[in-house]
Amino acid sequence: MTLPSQYDPFSTEPKWQEHWASHDFYKAQPDPAKEAFCVVIPPPNITGNLHMGHALNLAIQDCLVRYWRMQGRDTLWLPGIDHASIATQTVVERELAKEALGITGDWGQLSEKQRKALTLEGSKQRKAIGRTAFLSRVWQWKAFSGGQIIHQIRRLGSSCDWSRERFTMDPALGRAVTTAFVRLHQEGLVYRGEYLVNWCPVSQSALSDLEVDAKIIQGSLWYLRYPVADQPERFVIVATTRPETMLGDTAVAVNPHDERYQDLIGKSLLLPIQNRLIPVIADDHVDPTFGTGCVKVTPAHDPNDFEMGKRHGLPFINLLNPDGTYNENAGVYQGLDRFEVRKQVVQWFSDHELLEKIEDYTHTVPHSERAGVPVEPYLTTQWYVRMTPLAERALGFLADQKPNFVPARWTKVYRDWLTGIHDWCISRQLWWGHQIPAWYIVGQETLDPIVAMGETEAYQIAQERFGPEVQLQRDEDVLDTWFSAGLWPFSTLGWPEATEDLARYFPTAVLVTGFDIIFFWVARMTMMSGYLTQQIPFQTVYINGLVRDEKGQKMSKSKGNGIDPLELMDHYGTDALRFTLLSAVAGAGQDIRIDYNRKKKESATVEAARNFANKLWNASRFVLLNLKTPPADRQAAFEDNKHDLELADRWILQRLQDTIAQVTELMHDYDFGNAVKRIYAFIWGDYCDWYIELAKPRFGTDTGP
């Protein structure tokens, strides 16, 4: 067999990837005689493109899977993608808006004015075509975008079992989601309640914390005067960054130990504009060093005020409509946008000589990740999961070091989050996603909803309670994407059915993920699995670090410093990129840096890895050129001739055994960087630079790698 003189990744890699996949080399074949090893892929969003973080995460998973497959394990690497409710709905709404407004171009190429127009128009267009037609458009988008991300994962050489590919909106996974919701509801762990949520006025939906970006804003701090009711010449001055919400104030709070205001505690103030009396209360939450030490309390529009309002039994006055305009509780400001209300309230205070002063103030304001607008704490009725019982079970597993975090320092982060946990808002005012399996009695919506596995079962329950003429209407909301993601390690294997895959591969062996979703995903998987399956979903959680740019900065779209892995693969080949990423992993959880010449779009590090691939290619070529008649049984041939080995042969075999032992130990320690470096040292240094040179005289040649 003769190989070309140069390694060409662009012909070699796709050829062999297709060969291995088409011959089911990656397909798990359950074998009771073998120990199982299963990894489920952290499912990327269908709206996403492969970025360098994905490339590192997938390279680590593939390294583990291939290693244990070579060790003879019954190995399953299960791939899949996530439906990403709000991200996908936002993208499709924008496409509808583009068609309606005649706007073309990618989102990043549009002006701020065009983006705002598309964002507002998208929701209108969705409602105009209706839920059924809109979901049809989303499924069309999924077929296109979901196929793209899967193609990119395949392009990275991932040795997944593609016959078991899953999507979070697959019917089987949908049944798992419904089963989990119904079971948790039956056991009192899913309930409806009125609380403050992160609210996006553009999408008009509650948001998870992961869908909110904290942006530093150069804003203002307004100092407003509130007259003391029985001393109209005396004022209490409060400092606020949101003067528009004072229309919903139901108290002013001071610290009980603040000597300046002891005589005011229990007295009433006159709330300006509203001409309403509100009390002065004392609460330890108040920071006496902020502003004047007096804070306005708006329980329906601030999380801290919400808790204070509950402690002191204050009224909750909601000022907002879902679209961010003010409602009837705002009086003359009804119908105005929240920021217009701000302007007019400040002007009113100024006109009435109740505006003490305005200071420049830098503070953090939460923004909707998708819509780019400030979110509002919004008082609304939503579905929640009662988290404490689930967290207690997960903490019980953690006492037995389940799961095992690598590196171990993340165990404390995980434990602290489980210890200080709050109930989880799981309903979203969207159309794309798993629709909540709850039905309301038409005309009697105030009654508790009927939660059931399907409409037929819901009607059976309703007719038994209310008679045969009862009419039902399903809850329009969908579940938070993280609810279905929390079931991923076992729903993908067939739960709630007792499938062969579930019995064989669950709990899974290793989860490879980033530290930023320990709270949002890892903990929710352990809690949901612990409660629903009575098992921890994975034995080990390997936390990979970030891939940083050539200056050590975190890559981000806003900075424009991302490096496209597809571009590097197009230039150097896939194996070169994967080798670079793995060799750069200095230790578990450590960030890595990739050098990159942005003008030339080149990387010296990836170039070096490409050269190593060529070195390995030429070493193989040297062997094949000189191995004239390969024996049918190489192991038998070796045993027959092992006593005739020369010193160089015995030396390289010993170096090989040493390398195997070292790499094995490093792999078990998840020390991928040093494992790769050891392989590199053996192949380039020991084998190519020394052994092949020593072997050349036997073949009468001076050519080699």
Side-chain angles (χ1 to χ4, degrees):
M1 179 180 180
T2 303
L3 296 179
S5 59
Q6 291 293 319
Y7 173 58
D8 176 17
F10 310 109
S11 60
T12 304
E13 289 175 351
K15 170 188 172 182
W16 286 105
Q17 181 74 346
E18 173 59 29
H19 174 79
W20 294 329
S22 63
H23 286 76
D24 290 338
F25 289 173
Y26 303 154
K27 186 174 181 179
Q29 305 288 351
D31 184 351
K34 296 181 178 180
E35 187 175 350
F37 182 89
C38 178
V39 173
V40 293
I41 198 171
N45 294 347
I46 60 173
T47 59
N49 285 312
L50 194 72
H51 57 65
M52 201 60 80
H54 286 136
L56 172 63
N57 181 270
L58 291 165
I60 290 172
Q61 290 179 75
D62 203 17
C63 184
L64 281 169
V65 169
R66 289 178 185 266
Y67 172 80
W68 287 108
R69 188 182 288 131
M70 291 171 65
Q71 294 294 318
R73 293 281 183 94
D74 172 14
T75 305
L76 169 60
W77 186 14
L78 193 148
I81 49 178
D82 187 272
H83 63 282
S85 289
I86 192 166
T88 305
Q89 180 157 318
T90 300
V91 168
V92 178
E93 283 183 352
R94 288 173 183 168
E95 292 301 310
L96 291 172
K98 282 183 179 181
E99 295 171 8
L101 300 177
I103 295 176
T104 58
D106 294 334
W107 182 256
Q109 299 171 332
L110 303 179
S111 67
E112 192 64 33
K113 183 178 180 180
Q114 287 176 314
R115 290 183 184 183
K116 186 173 182 180
L118 288 177
T119 300
L120 295 173
E121 184 66 25
S123 180
K124 295 178 184 178
Q125 290 297 317
R126 169 174 61 87
K127 294 173 182 176
I129 67 174
R131 187 168 193 146
T132 301
F134 178 75
L135 291 180
S136 177
R137 286 291 298 262
V138 179
W139 279 105
Q140 293 174 29
W141 173 261
K142 184 267 174 184
F144 166 73
S145 186
Q148 277 195 321
I149 191 67
I150 287 295
H151 170 74
Q152 291 168 357
I153 294 172
R154 285 177 174 264
R155 170 78 192 281
L156 198 64
S158 304
S159 61
C160 300
D161 182 347
W162 297 104
S163 69
R164 286 175 167 84
E165 181 185 337
R166 299 289 185 264
F167 176 48
T168 48
M169 290 289 286
D170 286 344
L173 273 67
R175 177 173 175 78
V177 168
T178 302
T179 300
F181 185 94
V182 171
R183 187 176 299 179
L184 292 170
H185 180 266
Q186 289 172 342
E187 299 182 18
L189 297 177
V190 162
Y191 67 95
R192 293 180 81 227
E194 188 179 47
Y195 296 94
L196 287 183
V197 298
N198 297 317
W199 187 263
C200 174
V202 174
S203 65
Q204 297 185 34
S205 174
L207 303 178
S208 72
D209 290 340
L210 196 62
E211 295 159 340
V212 175
D213 288 334
K215 294 186 178 181
I216 298 175
I217 301 297
Q218 304 300 320
S220 298
L221 193 61
W222 289 271
Y223 288 77
L224 310 176
R225 298 175 181 171
Y226 288 35
V228 179
D230 60 358
Q231 304 175 54
E233 73 286 351
R234 184 181 179 186
F235 299 95
V236 168
I237 301 173
V238 301
T240 180
T241 59
R242 301 167 68 212
E244 68 277 12
T245 64
M246 58 80 58
L247 300 171
D249 286 358
T250 56
V252 166
V254 298
N255 189 286
H257 307 293
D258 193 333
E259 295 180 357
R260 294 173 294 176
Y261 305 112
Q262 291 297 309
D263 66 318
L264 287 175
I265 297 172
K267 289 185 177 292
S268 294
L269 306 178
L270 182 66
L271 179 64
I273 303 182
Q274 297 291 65
N275 199 30
R276 173 161 55 80
L277 293 179
I278 59 175
V280 177
I281 63 173
D283 196 282
D284 288 324
H285 172 74
V286 178
D287 179 2
T289 65
F290 174 78
T292 64
C294 300
V295 297
K296 56 191 288 302
V297 183
T298 320
H301 291 282
D302 182 272
N304 294 320
D305 293 1
F306 179 85
E307 296 299 330
M308 209 182 306
K310 289 196 297 183
R311 285 196 295 273
H312 295 272
L314 300 175
F316 287 66
I317 301 174
N318 179 32
L319 299 170
L320 276 178
N321 292 314
D323 64 355
T325 60
Y326 269 40
N327 62 27
E328 65 278 3
N329 292 327
V332 297
Y333 302 101
Q334 181 179 358
L336 296 179
D337 180 76
R338 52 186 170 152
F339 298 116
E340 179 59 30
V341 175
R342 175 179 294 180
K343 293 177 184 177
Q344 294 198 21
V345 166
V346 171
Q347 187 61 51
W348 189 95
F349 270 79
S350 178
D351 292 344
H352 289 78
E353 298 183 347
L354 294 173
L355 179 61
E356 178 75 11
K357 62 179 178 178
I358 304 174
E359 292 179 346
D360 292 336
Y361 187 66
T362 301
H363 61 127
T364 301
V365 177
H367 281 63
S368 168
E369 181 186 42
R370 301 296 169 182
V373 299
V375 301
E376 287 285 341
Y378 185 51
L379 189 64
T380 180
T381 300
Q382 302 285 343
W383 289 92
Y384 290 85
V385 174
R386 210 178 304 278
M387 300 298 281
T388 300
L390 277 66
E392 288 174 348
R393 188 164 295 190
L395 285 167
F397 282 114
L398 189 59
D400 296 326
Q401 294 186 321
K402 297 178 180 179
N404 171 45
F405 278 86
V406 180
R409 67 177 181 272
W410 292 109
T411 304
K412 183 180 185 303
V413 176
Y414 170 76
R415 180 188 291 109
D416 289 349
W417 191 77
L418 290 175
T419 303
I421 203 165
H422 299 285
D423 286 359
W424 171 21
C425 176
I426 56 171
S427 47
R428 299 289 180 266
Q429 289 62 56
L430 304 168
W431 286 355
W432 172 242
H434 295 101
Q435 193 171 355
I436 291 174
W439 286 260
Y440 300 90
I441 310 299
V442 175
Q444 302 183 57
E445 285 80 3
T446 57
L447 295 176
D448 288 339
I450 295 170
V451 173
M453 289 297 297
E455 188 174 272
T456 300
E457 181 182 318
Y459 265 102
Q460 290 173 349
I461 296 171
Q463 288 168 353
E464 289 175 2
R465 295 181 186 174
F466 305 103
E469 302 303 320
V470 69
Q471 293 296 311
L472 299 179
Q473 180 176 347
R474 188 169 184 175
D475 195 315
E476 292 190 350
D477 292 352
V478 301
L479 288 164
D480 179 10
T481 300
W482 295 103
F483 189 90
S484 55
L487 313 178
W488 183 253
F490 48 101
S491 64
T492 51
L493 294 170
W495 186 90
E497 306 301 326
T499 64
E500 182 182 356
D501 276 1
L502 187 67
R504 178 68 182 151
Y505 298 110
F506 188 80
T508 64
V510 183
L511 175 74
V512 181
T513 189
F515 67 87
D516 52 337
I517 54 174
I518 290 177
F519 319 122
F520 301 106
W521 191 41
V522 177
R524 284 171 178 163
M525 285 189 287
T526 60
M527 287 187 289
M528 296 290 262
S529 176
Y531 198 86
L532 295 169
T533 74
Q534 291 75 54
Q535 299 184 82
I536 211 72
F538 21 72
Q539 299 165 17
T540 298
V541 179
Y542 177 88
I543 302 295
N544 62 258
L546 299 175
V547 183
R548 296 185 178 272
D549 70 6
E550 61 277 11
K551 297 179 181 179
Q553 296 181 347
K554 182 179 178 180
M555 296 183 192
S556 71
K557 291 181 181 178
S558 60
K559 291 180 181 178
N561 65 338
I563 303 173
D564 186 352
L566 297 172
E567 196 171 82
L568 288 175
M569 287 191 285
D570 287 341
H571 195 68
Y572 299 108
T574 299
D575 281 339
L577 175 63
R578 286 154 49 105
F579 190 89
T580 299
L581 291 170
L582 288 169
S583 62
V585 178
Q590 297 296 312
D591 293 349
I592 68 173
R593 183 185 299 189
I594 299 294
D595 71 74
Y596 190 60
N597 185 322
R598 295 187 180 275
K599 291 184 178 180
K600 296 182 178 180
K601 295 184 177 180
E602 294 177 349
S603 168
T605 308
V606 187
E607 174 72 25
R610 168 69 174 77
N611 292 339
F612 177 64
N614 193 63
K615 190 76 170 177
L616 186 58
W617 177 271
N618 282 326
S620 302
R621 182 170 176 268
F622 174 80
V623 172
L624 292 172
L625 283 171
N626 291 287
L627 195 63
K628 304 300 183 183
T629 55
D633 188 338
R634 299 189 183 210
Q635 184 62 35
F638 173 77
E639 292 295 331
D640 290 342
N641 296 280
K642 65 181 180 180
H643 299 295
D644 298 327
L645 295 176
E646 295 188 10
L647 178 61
D649 301 328
R650 294 196 296 274
W651 172 78
I652 196 62
L653 289 172
Q654 182 60 55
R655 296 296 293 159
L656 173 61
Q657 293 306 311
D658 291 345
T659 300
I660 291 172
Q662 292 164 4
V663 170
T664 298
E665 182 178 354
L666 291 166
M667 286 296 296
H668 284 248
D669 290 339
Y670 297 92
D671 192 347
F672 305 104
N674 282 318
V676 168
K677 291 180 178 69
R678 188 67 201 89
I679 293 170
Y680 180 96
F682 172 77
I683 292 175
W684 195 297
D686 295 340
Y687 188 73
C688 293
D689 285 355
W690 283 100
Y691 179 68
I692 287 183
E693 293 302 316
L694 292 170
K696 283 178 182 178
R698 287 189 247 174
F699 301 107
T701 179
D702 59 359
T703 61

